[in-house]
Amino acid sequence: MTSSPGTSAIAPDIKVRTKERTEAHPHPYLRDNFYPVFEETVGDDGIECQVIGTIPESLRGSQYVRTGPNSLNVPKDGAPHHFFDGEGMLHGVYFEPGVEGQPIRARYMNRWVRSEVFQKANDHGPMVMSLEIIMAGADVFWGLILSMIWYRIKAAFYKLKSVGNGNTALAFFGSRLLALQEAGKPVETSVPSLNTTGEYYFEEENVKESEKNTKKGPKQEVCTAHPKIDPKTGEMVFFSYRTSHPFAYYSVISAEGKRIIWEEPIPGLRKSVMMHDFAITSTYSIIISVPYFIDGKHKTEGKPVIAFDPNSPSRFGILPRYFDPSRDEVIWFESRACHIFHTANAWDEKDADGNIVAVCMTACRSERFLAEVNLWKPTTPGGYGGGKTEEEFQKQYGLPGSGDYSNQDPDATYLTLFRFDLKTKETQMTTLSTVKTEFPVINWDRYMQPNLKYVYGAVIEDPSPGVGLKVSGVNKTDVQAVLERKRELERSGQIKNVGGDGRWEVGLEELQSVEKKTSGTHIFGPHTFGGEALFVPNSPRKDGKELEEDDGHLLVYVYDERQMENGLAKSKNQVTELWIFDAKKVSQEHGPVAKVKIPRRVPYGFHGLHVTRSQIQANKDMLSHRRDL
């Protein structure tokens, strides 16, 4: 970059130049703070930010990073676009090590994820078809066919191998920060600079030749955006899905990088399904097959290629961590049709003798795929098609908790316990919160523990016609308090629900009573929106006592939309803030303990990660060793 350090500029390698708009883009996910940014911070040190309050010592020398979609080639007005479209861009706040005892200074940096597909899109224009065409555009049959042919020819001509653009989530594994998206390979990134350093597909580079796994996987190299890392063993577990049989594959990688289980087909899947997340326990993995099916025949039925089928059950496959098809089977459970984007925790439930009697999972559940996600082509000058129907917007919905699912808002996501009884083969669902939340986060050091109490969720703003999905606050739910009250009611025979699918519910009145005593919500404020709130544990106590589960802080980017007017930024002097909350005190009465004022606009995005001081050093050591080879 030619500009001075401490500033932002369009990098010299970026060939795409987007004309400055005088009117906002008409697409809901390309206006206001959904619109992409094109400048990157100059140099590797970023921009120093003003800090209000005191940054916790637990963040010293570490970095908070969040990824999200940021279109390099902005679609023309009226052209196909989807919430999930766009190249990945990383936005990070680095908390300088400084001198212990002195105030911590914060620096902001951002970088495109320079994946293979990004570089070729930079050189040759868009390389992949918009997800709008297959997820929402039911009336463009020939448009779909022509788009598929065009992009396959283009990918073949330019020898595109991976379409993974890193726009969805992040993981730290093998001394690397990995930017992930479920359609391709992870993209390796350095910290704290956020510079792309290559692609990574678990190549067993630190494993002896004689010990390497020689099993060949499918030709297309793909990793879910949400791999799970066992906090005890350091193993990474992941899956990938495909559009043809066997539809999904399963892998386990050791902490040292060995492919323990590699690209093993998952038996029992009946159709191709858009699988975004899954969960693991110490013993099992839980594959989630909701009825959001991928089928080209849907077009002939007037539906998108990827369409939700409310008449098909959701299915959950329970398989051993070290799955071997020659000796193991996948145990399939079913529930009423629902959709799940993200899981929070999972664990093995044991009886008094230590035998596993059930596998449990907490996740955000909705009655269907969220309609607000699929806002697509223009229908009137004032809005976009997709989303709720006018009739649905007018309907008065009931709150969850008693099992009356048909009268709930079908697009509302509620934290739910799924208990898979290994003896009866029943799927037992219990709603844990009446607050609409997504992007659930926990203290990941305690992942897979059955006594984990707290789940922190992003509060979803009530939808408006033609407006994209936004996050208006953060919620803290005490899972154990709800489950304990449920056990008390079951013992006394006083539990009240509608029966049927809802017979495992605690009852709305009881759920609200527990929430009032044990849960908390903080709404950001008028016109102010954010995203996922990431939990970071405190530093170990000096007296040697164990930290409590919620001893830590929540980090979330927040943007005040009063800096916008008619969908466009009022000026170039934009500010985004990183709010840091005390995780013990999530309520409207308790605001952030610190705010990092970033003199840039950070568009709304998806998932973040806290990279510790030791992980940053490990990454630097790994890259230094690589340069010395």
Side-chain angles (χ1 to χ4, degrees):
M1 297 184 183
T2 57
S3 300
S4 302
T7 62
S8 296
I10 297 176
D13 68 323
I14 301 299
K15 300 175 182 178
V16 178
R17 291 293 187 270
T18 301
K19 185 178 179 181
E20 187 171 345
R21 297 188 67 97
T22 57
E23 292 183 0
H25 199 289
H27 197 288
Y29 289 114
L30 284 172
R31 62 184 291 121
D32 296 314
N33 198 36
F34 289 107
Y35 194 71
V37 295
F38 305 102
E39 294 186 346
E40 301 168 271
T41 49
V42 177
D44 290 345
D45 296 328
I47 299 171
E48 185 163 4
C49 303
Q50 179 187 0
V51 176
I52 299 174
T54 302
I55 295 175
E57 275 295 317
S58 55
L59 297 176
R60 188 180 291 277
S62 68
Q63 187 175 30
Y64 168 69
V65 188
R66 198 220 64 201
T67 190
N70 195 84
S71 294
L72 176 65
N73 295 278
V74 178
K76 295 180 180 179
D77 293 11
H81 182 72
H82 193 274
F83 187 22
F84 301 160
D85 286 347
E87 288 72 20
M89 179 173 276
L90 305 180
H91 299 268
V93 172
Y94 178 54
F95 303 101
E96 294 184 352
V99 178
E100 188 172 349
Q102 296 294 315
I104 298 172
R105 299 166 68 178
R107 305 190 72 85
Y108 165 78
M109 54 276 292
N110 71 311
R111 286 287 183 274
W112 292 102
V113 179
R114 284 170 166 76
S115 60
E116 179 195 2
V117 69
F118 171 89
Q119 294 178 46
K120 290 184 176 176
N122 186 36
D123 290 335
H124 311 296
M127 296 297 298
V128 294
M129 180 172 60
S130 170
L131 287 170
E132 177 272 314
I133 296 176
I134 58 174
M135 291 182 70
D139 61 346
V140 286
F141 179 80
W142 289 111
L144 168 69
I145 300 300
L146 292 174
S147 292
M148 289 180 64
I149 292 172
W150 167 246
Y151 283 109
R152 285 185 179 180
I153 291 173
K154 196 171 184 181
F157 184 82
Y158 291 114
K159 298 181 173 59
L160 178 65
K161 295 181 180 179
S162 174
V163 298
N165 61 26
N167 79 357
T168 308
L170 302 166
F172 194 90
F173 184 77
S175 299
R176 300 165 170 86
L177 176 63
L178 302 177
L180 303 152
Q181 187 245 12
E182 61 204 51
K185 291 195 290 187
V187 183
E188 177 188 303
T189 305
S190 65
V191 281
S193 70
L194 305 184
N195 294 320
T196 301
T197 52
E199 291 183 325
Y200 176 65
Y201 202 56
F202 316 102
E203 283 85 2
E204 296 191 307
E205 56 191 10
N206 296 319
V207 179
K208 294 179 181 179
E209 285 295 327
S210 60
E211 298 177 1
K212 288 187 176 181
N213 190 325
T214 57
K215 183 178 185 298
K216 298 294 184 182
K219 184 177 180 181
Q220 187 183 14
E221 296 178 326
V222 178
C223 173
T224 175
H226 292 290
K228 306 302 177 188
I229 297 178
D230 186 322
K232 290 185 177 180
T233 67
E235 292 170 340
M236 175 183 277
V237 185
F238 72 92
F239 74 95
S240 60
Y241 66 88
R242 305 295 197 281
T243 57
S244 59
H245 191 272
F247 303 123
Y249 297 83
Y250 175 77
S251 300
V252 180
I253 312 297
S254 74
E256 297 74 33
K258 179 174 174 55
R259 297 173 173 179
I260 302 173
I261 308 294
W262 183 245
E263 298 280 29
E264 193 63 55
I266 300 173
L269 288 164
R270 298 168 181 168
K271 294 182 179 181
S272 179
V273 173
M274 189 175 186
M275 299 181 185
H276 186 64
D277 201 356
F278 78 127
I280 65 172
T281 73
S282 298
T283 309
Y284 293 102
S285 294
I286 307 168
I287 302 299
I288 302 172
S289 177
V290 297
Y292 196 45
F293 299 126
I294 307 172
D295 192 337
K297 295 178 181 178
H298 288 162
K299 282 289 184 181
T300 63
E301 303 168 1
K303 297 186 294 187
V305 171
I306 309 179
F308 186 81
D309 182 1
N311 299 313
S312 294
S314 290
R315 303 178 69 235
F316 304 86
I318 311 296
L319 66 157
R321 167 80 66 89
Y322 308 110
F323 176 68
D324 182 343
S326 66
R327 67 164 190 264
D328 299 320
E329 65 174 346
V330 180
I331 307 172
W332 287 97
F333 290 77
E334 292 187 353
S335 77
R336 65 180 284 114
C338 68
H339 186 264
I340 296 170
F341 266 126
H342 300 112
T343 65
N345 189 32
W347 64 93
D348 299 320
E349 182 184 314
K350 299 180 180 180
D351 62 17
D353 297 322
N355 301 308
I356 299 174
V357 296
V359 175
C360 300
M361 175 183 76
T362 49
C364 291
R365 174 194 175 280
S366 58
E367 279 288 286
R368 69 182 183 192
F369 185 84
L370 277 64
E372 303 97 280
V373 169
N374 284 340
L375 298 174
W376 51 299
K377 72 175 207 175
T379 54
T380 66
Y384 265 63
K388 279 181 164 58
T389 65
E390 184 175 347
E391 181 182 356
E392 288 174 331
F393 270 115
Q394 298 300 321
K395 185 175 179 180
Q396 297 296 311
Y397 296 105
L399 290 173
S402 296
D404 188 10
Y405 303 117
S406 61
N407 285 318
Q408 290 177 200
D409 181 344
D411 301 311
T413 47
Y414 296 112
L415 186 65
T416 302
L417 168 70
F418 291 82
R419 184 179 182 273
F420 306 106
D421 192 305
L422 295 177
K423 182 178 180 180
T424 66
K425 301 301 186 290
E426 289 180 308
T427 302
Q428 303 167 3
M429 296 191 307
T430 304
T431 304
L432 302 170
S433 174
T434 63
V435 181
K436 292 186 292 185
T437 60
E438 243 299 338
F439 302 106
V441 168
I442 64 171
N443 181 338
W444 296 113
D445 290 345
R446 304 194 182 212
Y447 185 54
M448 306 186 303
Q449 293 186 14
N451 60 350
L452 182 133
K453 293 182 67 175
Y454 302 114
V455 176
Y456 308 93
V459 179
I460 303 301
E461 177 79 351
D462 288 336
S464 299
V467 177
L469 187 149
K470 295 179 182 179
V471 171
S472 59
V474 58
N475 169 263
K476 179 181 181 181
T477 294
D478 187 334
V479 171
Q480 295 302 326
V482 178
L483 298 183
E484 178 55 35
R485 182 56 179 157
K486 181 185 176 186
R487 287 188 287 267
E488 292 173 357
L489 293 169
E490 286 175 333
R491 287 193 294 267
S492 65
Q494 296 177 14
I495 199 163
K496 295 178 181 179
N497 54 50
V498 301
D501 290 336
R503 65 187 180 278
W504 308 106
E505 297 284 10
V506 70
L508 175 56
E509 290 184 5
E510 291 291 347
L511 180 55
Q512 289 178 314
S513 176
V514 174
E515 282 185 305
K516 187 176 180 180
K517 298 173 185 175
T518 64
S519 297
T521 298
H522 183 94
I523 301 301
F524 299 137
H527 314 286
T528 304
F529 302 98
E532 174 190 79
L534 185 74
F535 180 87
V536 179
N538 283 339
S539 304
R541 291 171 53 129
K542 293 182 179 180
D543 60 10
K545 293 182 179 179
E546 184 179 3
L547 292 172
E548 294 184 348
E549 181 188 320
D550 58 351
D551 274 334
H553 293 85
L554 299 170
L555 280 63
V556 57
Y557 285 132
V558 170
Y559 180 80
D560 188 336
E561 288 195 350
R562 284 171 289 195
Q563 299 174 89
M564 292 278 175
E565 187 172 23
N566 297 323
L568 286 176
K570 290 181 181 179
S571 73
K572 294 184 178 181
N573 297 321
Q574 295 281 298
V575 175
T576 303
E577 296 181 346
L578 177 66
W579 286 10
I580 303 173
F581 291 90
D582 183 342
K584 281 186 171 295
K585 300 174 180 178
V586 179
S587 71
Q588 205 58 40
E589 292 72 36
H590 294 92
V593 299
K595 295 181 180 181
V596 177
K597 297 180 75 69
I598 302 165
R600 298 292 183 273
R601 184 171 64 83
V602 177
Y604 301 131
F606 295 142
H607 299 279
L609 189 73
H610 176 241
V611 187
T612 67
R613 190 172 184 172
S614 61
Q615 288 173 332
I616 291 174
Q617 187 59 52
N619 178 252
K620 289 180 178 179
D621 292 344
M622 184 269 291
L623 293 174
S624 176
H625 176 71
R626 180 187 292 173
R627 287 190 293 267
D628 292 340
L629 293 178

